Amino acid sequence: MPVLDVRAFNRVRPAFGGAVLLALAVVAGTAPPDQAAPAYRCSRSVQTIDDAGYSGPWPDDWEMTVRVCAARSGPTLRTYAEARWDGPAYQALDDPTILDGARLRVQIRQRDGAVVASQDSSGIESRMEDSNGQGGHNGTFRTPTLSHRAAPGAHADAVLLLDWHGDGRGYSSYQYGSSPVV
């Protein structure tokens, strides 16, 4: 907190000086109130996704849980998505050939379903290809927060886009449920 230098006020008449010093002390000690963080409301959905690039005898399903959260601050809707997965155990550790690409897209939709803003996050690919010391692929990824003006009744949703290595089909999309309306 800054120190208030009152030397200049020593010349103020005593009848008025005390009130000025008190007022300055109150103003100097008062900071603007912190704006409260918006209260996020979230929904969660789960899908079991097959690794389309693998057709061997071992289990290859990924259980993907995506939580979509949204909050309103005046006319602005803020949203993010967080993915958690329980993937299979592959022989190779930290295998960069599981996916050719992966993105987690978060979208803001108006009440009528029209997308007014979207943001893709590609950092999920390397996280999904990382493993623990036994080859298990479990982890989490959170998108940056997307902010956009949206009318009342708007909500957010997420789409997981995966391009499995070796399947030749390009990106497959997996739609995840929407946040509560905010």
Side-chain angles (χ1 to χ4, degrees), residues 30-57:
T30 312
D34 289 336
Q35 291 187 357
Y40 281 91
R41 297 178 59 204
C42 304
S43 66
R44 185 176 72 95
S45 51
V46 180
Q47 291 186 49
T48 300
I49 300 173
D50 178 61
D51 178 346
Y54 176 78
S55 59

Side-chain angles (χ1 to χ4, degrees), residues 7-84:
R7 288 178 286 184
F9 299 107
N10 287 337
R11 289 182 246 129
V12 179
R13 291 185 308 201
F16 185 68
V20 169
L21 284 176
L22 178 61
L24 285 173
V26 169
V27 170
T30 312
D34 289 336
Q35 291 187 357
Y40 281 91
R41 297 178 59 204
C42 304
S43 66
R44 185 176 72 95
S45 51
V46 180
Q47 291 186 49
T48 300
I49 300 173
D50 178 61
D51 178 346
Y54 176 78
S55 59
W58 306 109
D60 65 344
D61 288 345
W62 295 71
E63 184 172 298
M64 300 291 297
T65 302
V66 175
R67 187 172 70 129
V68 181
C69 299
R72 179 171 293 281
S73 178
T76 302
L77 190 135
R78 290 177 171 79
T79 184
Y80 67 89
E82 182 180 79
R84 293 183 180 277

